Amino acid sequence: MKLINKFTLLFTVIFASGIFIFATINPDKKNELKNESGYDFPVKLDFAGEETPLKISDVKERLDRELLVNVNLHASTILAIKRANRAFSIIEPILKKNGIPDDFKYLAVIESGLVNVVSPAGARGVWQFMPDTAKERKMEVNDNVDERYDIEKSTEAACSYFLSAKGKFGSWTLAAASYNGGMTGVNKQIDIQKVSNYYDLLLTEETSRYVFRILALKEIMKNPLKYGFNILPGDKYEILPTKKIEIDSSITDLASFAKSQGINYKILKIHNPWLRETKLLNNTGKKYQIEIPLKGY
């Protein structure tokens, strides 16, 4: 009996001590807890100088969703930051030359991750042009040459679209949204809903998320450390110096042509992905610019 009483007393003391310790430590623990998101939500944000109304509840929540998604898509976000060092050096001057706000470079990030991808619908390249739209924007698209894969020419074509959309809607934000939803589709909803602000429109799921995805990538890529991405300068993909050779005739064997330039077929295709076959057919005398790297290989 005495043994049982001693055990009961010991258990009571331990249990009471546990409660006391928890009660005294827990308040401090609460103060140490960090935001589950892992970052401080931005106080102010804009796209192309047009302020994002974060005081509107659903606007704030939609941005929070895209920030959370992209902060936790570690591999793809890291790759975008690394690739941007090279891709933005080409895209930025073309946007500036055409009078397009610099923020549109982040549209290319969400479209393709800054690589020449192919969508299930058949859109291709960094800017994800469909064949007919590309041809409307004066790009050559066929089995031999596909200029959707030419980052310079496709960026020029994208700029042409943005200027047309801005002229139609009077808003860079709506111009960006229409790149996903189409000018006709966005304009139809403006007429139906009788509002002309992207943040007031109820659009399809994808178009509703579109500008917020751009804003999220802009915020993360401009402030990578804030969002847990410590990418050192040496980790970013380097800008390789190149020269351009003008060609106005056919090249029957691109592998032999590459060797004559001191590189191989693989490297030629990496730098000129718009060349779609093993030869370049040119019966019209059109002038093509072929890019040849000067170092790195």
Side-chain angles (χ1 to χ4, degrees):
M1 182 65 71
K2 287 183 179 181
L3 183 60
I4 294 173
N5 288 338
K6 285 182 180 180
F7 178 78
T8 303
L9 179 62
L10 180 62
F11 177 79
T12 303
V13 170
I14 292 171
F15 180 75
S17 299
I19 293 174
F20 176 75
I21 291 169
F22 179 80
T24 55
I25 291 178
N26 199 46
D28 292 334
K29 289 279 187 184
K30 285 182 180 178
N31 291 334
E32 291 173 4
L33 287 175
K34 292 184 179 179
N35 181 342
E36 183 66 26
S37 303
Y39 60 82
D40 295 324
F41 193 82
V43 176
K44 190 176 181 180
L45 211 57
D46 71 89
F47 176 75
E50 299 172 3
E51 187 172 353
T52 306
L54 296 176
K55 290 183 179 180
I56 299 175
S57 179
D58 79 287
V59 170
K60 183 177 180 180
E61 289 177 19
R62 287 154 71 190
L63 177 62
D64 189 45
R65 173 186 180 178
E66 304 308 331
L67 283 170
L68 278 168
V69 167
N70 287 283
V71 163
N72 288 286
L73 285 174
H74 297 287
S76 59
T77 303
I78 289 169
L79 283 170
I81 294 169
K82 289 185 173 188
R83 291 168 181 157
N85 190 56
R86 182 182 295 162
F88 283 177
S89 70
I90 300 168
I91 292 171
E92 287 171 350
I94 297 173
L95 294 176
K96 185 176 182 180
K97 181 187 75 173
N98 285 279
I100 306 297
D102 190 66
D103 282 354
F104 276 87
K105 65 191 181 188
Y106 299 106
L107 186 150
V109 176
I110 70 161
E111 280 287 342
S112 64
L114 300 175
V115 288
N116 283 312
V117 294
V118 180
S119 79
R124 295 173 186 252
V126 166
W127 293 96
Q128 286 291 277
F129 277 100
M130 293 294 286
D132 290 344
T133 309
K135 291 173 184 176
E136 287 171 10
R137 298 289 161 182
K138 298 181 168 50
M139 282 189 281
E140 183 178 348
V141 178
N142 54 54
D143 291 338
N144 190 239
V145 169
D146 192 338
E147 292 180 334
R148 292 177 293 172
Y149 288 96
D150 184 319
I151 189 169
E152 292 183 18
K153 289 187 177 180
S154 60
T155 301
E156 290 281 3
C159 287
S160 170
Y161 178 91
F162 299 143
L163 289 170
S164 297
K166 173 61 159 60
K168 183 175 184 62
F169 298 114
S171 158
W172 288 119
T173 307
L174 279 173
S178 74
Y179 198 80
N180 176 261
M183 288 193 217
T184 302
V186 171
N187 195 58
K188 180 181 178 181
Q189 291 306 315
I190 288 173
D191 290 341
I192 291 171
Q193 299 177 42
K194 298 176 176 57
V195 291
S196 57
N197 187 304
Y198 172 78
Y199 300 104
D200 292 331
L201 283 166
L202 180 64
L203 300 168
T204 64
E205 170 75 7
E206 187 177 357
T207 309
S208 289
R209 294 183 65 181
Y210 196 73
V211 171
F212 289 96
R213 291 174 62 206
I214 297 172
L215 288 168
L217 265 300
K218 172 189 173 181
E219 172 67 10
I220 293 167
M221 293 176 76
K222 289 186 77 171
N223 307 285
L225 280 175
K226 174 183 174 182
Y227 294 94
F229 297 99
N230 184 20
I231 312 297
L232 300 175
D235 295 332
K236 297 177 181 179
Y237 298 153
E238 66 177 317
I239 301 168
L240 298 173
T242 62
K243 67 178 180 180
K244 290 187 177 179
I245 298 175
E246 189 174 274
I247 299 292
D248 61 3
S249 59
S250 296
I251 300 174
T252 56
D253 186 348
L254 287 174
S256 296
F257 173 80
K259 283 192 172 185
S260 74
Q261 298 300 319
I263 56 174
N264 59 37
Y265 180 77
K266 178 191 76 173
I267 302 306
L268 178 70
K269 284 299 193 84
I270 287 173
H271 284 268
N272 302 275
W274 54 273
L275 292 168
R276 303 310 297 165
E277 296 186 311
T278 59
K279 57 184 178 291
L280 171 63
L281 300 176
N282 185 3
N283 299 320
T284 62
K286 179 177 177 178
K287 293 179 179 179
Y288 294 99
Q289 299 283 332
I290 295 182
E291 196 168 26
I292 306 296
L294 300 175
K295 61 170 284 189
Y297 304 107

